[in-house]
């Protein structure tokens, strides 16, 4: 099935150039010149949305929040396109769940590469979700396995002892594989029962995890200023 992409940007010429080049890569591509126009479409049909931040009454940030708040569209990957002077908007976009960002001005080659990368991650995530549905009590990535029912971690078949928060942190990162999770997100999900937790606590647990899970420690990635993730 051909993947469908929606471009939302008020620069008509840019939209047409992107549309032509993405169609040359085999994608079905639609264009909307405002968030208002895009919201009239059946967005459930799209595999990915390329979304400009600086638009009219409804900005890209506002539209993304609307999409993420609706269970029907929350899972659609979003790539933000942002001007060089809108770094704050870019960070805000990532914090509300955007999958990537592209700084303007950009090259078509860069856009195509980012689109392919995000779609690969989305496809991988869907595969994990299916696997979790079939084995709801297990998370497996190559030779790394977490048994969620018995709270047991094995690396290439050998059991590894993890502290409770280490286990919960690793499970959270794997469940969100392919995305960067902010410190705020990690603290609210993994340390929700704690009164006061320092950011340094996350760093310490990440360091311990990388050491304990051997070669799979390299799967845990750090994005300075953004947070942590578990790579594809």
């Amino acid at each position: 099935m051909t993947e469908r992409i929606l471009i939302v940007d008020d620069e008509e010429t840019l939209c047409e150039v992107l549309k032509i080049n993405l169609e040359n890569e085999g994608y079905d591509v639609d264009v909307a010149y405002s968030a208002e126009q895009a919201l009239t479409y059946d967005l459930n049909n799209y595999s990915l949305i390329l979304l400009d931040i600086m638009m009219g009454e409804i900005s890209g940030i506002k539209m993304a929040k609307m999409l993420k708040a609706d269970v029907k569209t929350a899972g659609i990957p979003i790539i933000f396109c942002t001007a060089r002077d809108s770094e704050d908007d870019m960070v805000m976009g990532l914090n509300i769940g955007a999958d990537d960002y592209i700084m303007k001005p950009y090259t078509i080659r860069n856009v195509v590469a980012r689109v392919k990368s995000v779609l690969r991650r989305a496809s991988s995530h869907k595969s994990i979700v299916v696997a979790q549905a079939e084995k709801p009590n297990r998370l497996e990535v190559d030779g790394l396995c977490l048994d969620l029912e018995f709270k047991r971690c094995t690396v290439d078949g050998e059991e590894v002892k993890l502290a409770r928060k280490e286990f919960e942190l690793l499970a959270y990162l794997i469940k969100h594989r392919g995305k960067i999770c902010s410190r705020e997100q990690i603290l609210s999900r993994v340390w929700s029962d704690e009164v006061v937790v320092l950011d340094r606590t996350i760093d310490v647990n990440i360091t311990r995890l990388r050491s304990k899970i051997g070669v799979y420690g390299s799967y845990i990635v750090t994005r300075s200023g953004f947070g942590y993730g578990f790579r594809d």
Side-chain angles (χ1 to χ4, degrees):
M1 182 177 177
T2 303
E3 291 170 306
R4 297 187 66 188
I5 297 172
L6 175 62
I7 302 169
V8 187
D9 198 307
D10 55 8
E11 297 182 45
E12 296 187 16
T13 301
L14 178 60
C15 286
E16 292 306 313
V17 172
L18 286 173
K19 176 179 170 67
I20 291 171
N21 281 272
L22 289 170
E23 286 179 338
N24 287 340
E25 295 293 328
Y27 301 112
D28 284 339
V29 182
D30 292 326
V31 170
Y33 301 117
S34 68
E36 290 87 343
Q37 180 183 355
L39 291 170
T40 66
Y41 296 175
D42 186 358
L43 298 178
N44 294 317
N45 291 327
Y46 294 102
S47 306
L48 181 145
I49 297 176
L50 271 169
L51 183 57
D52 184 25
I53 288 182
M54 308 299 290
M55 292 190 288
E57 184 175 343
I58 300 180
S59 68
I61 293 289
K62 186 174 181 180
M63 178 176 170
K65 287 181 178 179
M66 295 168 68
L67 296 179
K68 294 302 179 182
D70 187 336
V71 66
K72 295 180 181 179
T73 55
I76 300 174
I78 294 174
I79 297 179
F80 273 123
C81 300
T82 174
R84 289 189 182 279
D85 60 354
S86 59
E87 185 174 348
D88 288 343
D89 286 333
M90 177 195 73
V91 173
M92 184 187 303
L94 290 172
N95 285 338
I96 66 174
D99 294 82
D100 201 352
Y101 68 92
I102 304 174
M103 303 289 279
K104 291 183 178 180
Y106 47 69
T107 65
I108 297 300
R109 182 180 180 182
N110 183 30
V111 174
V112 171
R114 299 292 190 90
V115 165
K116 289 181 177 180
S117 177
V118 169
L119 287 173
R120 278 197 303 268
R121 292 202 301 266
S123 177
S124 175
H125 177 69
K126 288 179 182 178
S127 298
I128 293 172
V129 170
V130 171
Q132 290 176 1
E134 294 173 350
K135 297 181 178 180
N137 294 320
R138 293 172 68 88
L139 295 174
E140 296 184 68
V141 180
D142 298 334
L144 176 63
C145 177
L146 293 185
D147 188 320
L148 302 181
E149 183 172 354
F150 291 98
K151 310 302 181 187
R152 183 171 179 263
C153 173
T154 57
V155 174
D156 296 330
E158 297 293 327
E159 184 171 0
V160 174
K161 299 293 184 181
L162 297 181
R164 176 187 171 187
K165 290 304 181 183
E166 292 171 353
F167 185 93
E168 292 175 355
L169 174 58
L170 182 57
Y172 180 79
L173 292 177
I174 293 177
K175 287 178 180 178
H176 295 80
R177 182 180 177 186
K179 283 191 173 185
I180 295 299
C181 302
S182 70
R183 291 173 177 272
E184 292 77 11
Q185 291 171 324
I186 294 172
L187 287 172
S188 66
R189 297 299 181 88
V190 180
W191 277 273
S192 59
D193 56 343
E194 304 290 336
V195 178
V196 178
V197 179
L198 301 176
D199 283 354
R200 179 61 180 164
T201 302
I202 300 177
D203 301 333
V204 170
N205 278 270
I206 290 290
T207 299
R208 290 174 178 168
L209 273 178
R210 284 176 171 149
S211 175
K212 289 183 177 183
I213 62 177
V215 295
Y216 304 108
S218 64
Y219 285 36
I220 300 175
V221 297
T222 303
R223 291 291 179 265
S224 180
F226 298 109
Y228 294 100
F230 201 92
R231 71 173 177 81
D232 291 325

